[in-house]
Amino acid sequence: MPGVQRLKAISENMEKWRSKSSLAAREVTLIAVSKTHPAEALIPLIEAGHRVFCENRVQEAAEKWPALRERYPDIELHLIGSLQTNKVKDALALFDVIHTVDRPSLVDAIAKERSRHAGRCGHFLVQVNTGEEPQKGGVKPEELEELMRYTDTHASCFTVSGLMCVPPAGVPPAPHFALLHTIAHGMNLPYLSMGMSGDYETAIRFGATHIRVGTAIFGERDL
Ligand SMILES: *Cc1c(COP(=O)(O)O)cnc(C)c1O
């Protein structure tokens, strides 16, 4: 099935799950995960009306998206991969939403760059390492409050709009989504980025506002 048809099938499935759950968000945005896929693979989706994409690497996004944006200025681009402080300037110019704020040094780098340039980026999400996996980015749940306080006091030029998580592989994701939902609700944060190809239905049941789907749209990645 071509990507455009899969995208349509996923959108219909999303609505089905959304309407079934009392925790579900009023609106759920499907972010197409375009990492590793060349521009040619994305154009059919854009031509069919899809506008929201995400990448996990700043460099790859910088190579791919400026030319596409010239043709399609209303593209919305999200960053879902870890962000090094030396890439903050480029990231703020490229992305509309950054999902991976996870440490004070990154908060400082974003604040410093934004005080010079408003940039494009309007929304920042904190990544929470709900499974406390050492190899994964994200702040530990018990350190989240401290990072939020740090952001409030050290970075007056931006606010946190929500939370993001990637549950550990091979375990049921529902407890992780439930935890993120509870924390975000308690902090009054409107955005919840959770759910990928294998678990987006569950994420929608637990209140995801943004799901990040790659494989289910484009097929398996080569890289
Ligand atoms: C690659 C990636 C996705 C998409 O995963 P699929 O299983 O291909 O849908 C979602 N979120 C993050 C953070 C990713 O790195």
Side-chain angles (χ1 to χ4, degrees), residues 32-38 42 53-55 60 64-65 77 213-214 218:
V33 180
S34 48
K35 65 186 182 193
T36 79
H37 300 294
L42 313 177
F53 293 85
C54 62
E55 294 283 340
E60 183 181 341
K64 213 189 295 183
W65 284 100
L77 196 60
V213 178
F218 298 107

Side-chain angles (χ1 to χ4, degrees), residues 33 35 56 80 164 166 195-198 212-216 221:
V33 180
K35 65 186 182 193
N56 67 332
I80 57 168
M164 176 270 218
V166 182
M196 323 200 320
S197 292
R212 314 174 306 262
V213 178
T215 309
R221 286 177 291 273

Side-chain angles (χ1 to χ4, degrees), residues 3-4 7 32-55 60 64-65 68 71-72 75 77 217-218:
V4 171
L7 189 78
V33 180
S34 48
K35 65 186 182 193
T36 79
H37 300 294
E40 304 82 76
L42 313 177
I43 287 171
L45 271 69
I46 304 172
E47 288 286 341
H50 193 77
R51 286 294 179 271
V52 192
F53 293 85
C54 62
E55 294 283 340
E60 183 181 341
K64 213 189 295 183
W65 284 100
L68 284 168
R71 277 174 74 182
Y72 309 98
I75 290 285
L77 196 60
I217 298 171
F218 298 107

Side-chain angles (χ1 to χ4, degrees), residues 11 15 18 20 54 97 125 134 151 153 156 166 172 180 186 188 193 214:
S11 299
E15 188 45 36
R18 207 192 59 75
K20 273 204 248 187
C54 62
V97 184
L125 277 58
T151 307
T153 49
S156 54
V166 182
L180 206 68
N188 251 324
S193 164

